[in-house]
Amino acid sequence: MSEAPCQTEETVGLFAGQHVLAELSGVSADLLDDEQFLRHALGEVLTQADATVLEVISKKFDPQGVTVLALLSESHASIHTYPEVGSVFVDVFTCGTRAKPALAVQLLADALGAAHVSTDLVTRGLKEHAA
């Protein structure tokens, strides 16, 4: 039987989650234009943060920039790079309580060597269960 969206082993059917929106800056332009590195890095940090990665897709743009999307059992994650300014937008939403989206963002910032990290956390759904 397949799981419905936003289900985890601990919280089947829980309509609650955390959405981390981040901006990373001070990152090497070369890293931000390396599609394969970014795909691998996003998949790895999500796994380390206890998310279940189902699929990763990406698109490299001309003359520069990469978008990477990860489909998760717990929801999704995305990165959109701007090598010309050494910055990247990151979006990680996970429902339930097992996955740790803030940890995924911090691990990605570390992997990219970001000099500056700005994050916003949005609690979604049933607020009392999303911690």
Side-chain angles (χ1 to χ4, degrees):
M1 177 186 287
S2 66
E3 291 185 12
C6 290
Q7 292 183 345
T8 67
E9 295 167 11
E10 291 84 5
T11 57
V12 176
L14 184 61
F15 184 71
Q18 294 185 330
H19 201 155
V20 179
L21 306 170
E23 298 174 20
L24 314 179
S25 60
V27 179
S28 159
D30 290 339
L31 281 183
L32 294 181
D33 212 32
D34 186 335
E35 182 178 10
Q36 292 309 311
F37 171 81
L38 294 166
R39 286 177 61 108
H40 177 76
L42 184 60
E44 284 294 311
V45 303
L46 290 165
T47 299
Q48 290 173 19
D50 295 327
T52 308
V53 179
L54 301 174
E55 186 173 353
V56 177
I57 63 172
S58 60
K59 169 68 178 165
K60 185 168 182 354
F61 295 95
D62 185 27
Q64 62 199 358
V66 177
T67 291
V68 182
L69 305 173
L71 176 64
L72 309 175
S73 288
E74 300 82 7
S75 197
H76 70 274
S78 66
I79 58 177
H80 306 281
T81 74
Y82 297 81
E84 67 275 19
V85 294
S87 298
V88 57
F89 289 119
V90 181
D91 174 4
V92 182
F93 175 58
T94 62
C95 50
T97 57
R98 184 183 63 176
K100 302 166 195 74
L103 176 60
V105 170
Q106 185 56 58
L107 292 170
L108 183 62
D110 293 346
L112 292 171
H116 304 284
V117 179
S118 173
T119 62
D120 289 305
L121 173 65
V122 178
T123 301
R124 298 181 67 185
L126 302 172
K127 308 292 190 235
E128 64 273 12
H129 296 293

